[in-house]
Amino acid sequence: RVRSALRDVVQFESLIEQRSVPCLRDHRVSDRTILPGAAYVDLALSAALRVFGAGMGIDELVIGEPLVVADDE
């Protein structure tokens, strides 16, 4: 959870690296590593659990554009 100057706003930050999530190497499109849709769901549900507690779900999820994960250097 990240501190925010905005009132009533909750923000989270996460570091996603191929080194720490080796299965990302299996999600390559045109030589770029893309965060799989299941990871978006997992991140959203984890954040909802921390903010609202158990019992939250996702009714709809729209991914506007892929999240490209930088290659490990």
Side-chain angles (χ1 to χ4, degrees):
R1 191 169 184 165
V2 179
R3 291 181 146 215
S4 176
L6 302 172
R7 295 187 75 198
D8 301 324
V9 173
V10 179
Q11 296 176 327
F12 290 89
E13 180 177 73
S14 184
L15 177 63
I16 301 170
E17 298 177 302
Q18 290 183 32
R19 170 180 34 243
S20 60
V21 187
C23 67
L24 285 176
R25 292 185 186 100
D26 297 333
H27 296 275
R28 295 190 64 83
V29 177
S30 300
D31 270 347
R32 300 181 334 172
T33 302
I34 304 297
L35 187 69
Y40 285 92
V41 173
D42 185 54
L43 291 169
L45 289 175
S46 294
L49 179 63
R50 291 198 58 191
V51 174
F52 303 111
M56 296 301 295
I58 297 174
D59 292 329
E60 183 176 341
L61 176 66
V62 176
I63 300 172
E65 60 184 72
L67 176 64
V68 177
V69 180
D71 291 330
D72 292 339
E73 297 181 12

